[in-house]
Amino acid sequence: MNRGWDEAVQANPSLFDGPVVACAGLDWDGPHRLVLAWARTTYRFHGLRRLPGASSRLSSLLFVGVVQPTDDERLLVGRMAQWTASAGRWQLPGGSVEPPDDHEPLDVAALRRHAARELVEETGIDVPLEDLTLWLVIRGEDGDVGALFLAPRRPASLLREQFDALVSAETALGGDPELDQMAFVRSPADLVALDGPQADYLAPIVRRYAGAAPRRDAPPVSRSWP
């Protein structure tokens, strides 16, 4: 594992073995309550899945994402910059969850705060916490578990303005934005036109949102994925 991490850092020196939350278990407690067991770990454990014969519960990470629709029912997606661990990948705004401070809970409220922070850091879009609704809990093909929050609809022009302003501000300070492109998609067919790889959950999420406008009173959890 350590050798694999060292090789990854040599290929991409911007990688940082920071603290993250691993998903150690996911179980139903009744028809509407999902309980997630978690553990503190670091990014290098994520690489265990790439080693033949290796297995560890700590290799499945917990992440958050924001489903940000436009007024005309398109969804915002972003492409990760080349310096990131997922260079060139299109995905929803979001990221891996960091462990809470000692004695602080890791609950829906904490995940909501993390999702709002990721959204503003990556796109410049600031959404009040009370406007983010837990919409789905998903498990990707590689075992990672994601909590997706639905944001209110906003004009595409406003979302583009805020993203462009963030990119200009970070570039002026000598920084490199985490997302190097942003796009709006209405259906999986729109994803075909995007240049680069995509998160494994992206097409199913776009398809699900396009199939039926999400209701605020709808059950927030999907029992299986995909």
Side-chain angles (χ1 to χ4, degrees), residues 167-220:
V167 171
S168 296
E170 291 192 356
T171 302
L173 294 174
D176 292 317
E178 195 166 353
L179 299 180
D180 63 12
Q181 282 194 39
M182 189 180 76
F184 300 107
V185 296
R186 191 187 307 276
S187 69
D190 292 338
L191 295 174
V192 176
L194 299 179
D195 180 25
Q198 300 170 14
D200 58 14
Y201 64 77
L202 193 55
I205 286 297
V206 171
R207 186 180 303 113
R208 183 185 181 102
Y209 187 89
R215 305 192 319 270
R216 291 288 174 171
D217 60 346

Side-chain angles (χ1 to χ4, degrees), residues 26-35 221-224:
L26 197 63
D27 298 293
W28 286 94
D29 180 15
H32 302 297
R33 180 180 173 86
L34 188 65
V35 179
V221 174
S222 175
R223 281 186 176 271
S224 62

Side-chain angles (χ1 to χ4, degrees), residues 7-141:
E7 291 173 354
V9 172
Q10 287 178 1
N12 184 357
S14 66
L15 294 181
F16 171 64
D17 191 24
V20 289
V21 169
C23 178
L26 197 63
D27 298 293
W28 286 94
D29 180 15
H32 302 297
R33 180 180 173 86
L34 188 65
V35 179
L36 183 144
W38 62 277
R40 298 173 186 270
T41 184
T42 66
Y43 275 109
R44 72 175 59 224
F45 282 89
H46 197 52
L48 280 175
R49 66 186 57 185
R50 300 184 182 91
L51 301 180
S55 63
S56 172
R57 294 185 304 172
L58 300 184
S59 64
S60 296
L61 300 185
L62 176 65
F63 68 94
V64 292
V66 178
V67 179
Q68 175 61 71
T70 64
D71 283 348
D72 59 356
E73 298 297 350
R74 291 179 293 166
L75 296 183
L76 184 157
V77 295
R79 190 178 72 176
M80 300 296 290
Q82 291 300 313
W83 60 267
T84 65
S86 302
R89 187 179 75 178
W90 289 90
Q91 59 184 48
L92 297 174
S96 300
V97 175
E98 297 179 2
D101 294 334
D102 290 343
H103 310 299
E104 292 294 326
L106 181 59
D107 52 15
V108 173
L111 295 178
R112 181 180 290 109
R113 290 193 297 271
H114 194 84
R117 184 169 64 250
E118 291 283 349
L119 182 65
V120 72
E121 288 178 354
E122 292 184 354
T123 68
I125 301 167
D126 192 1
V127 177
L129 292 177
E130 60 271 18
D131 289 343
L132 288 177
T133 303
L134 180 62
W135 186 47
L136 282 177
V137 173
I138 63 174
R139 186 186 288 275
E141 295 174 358

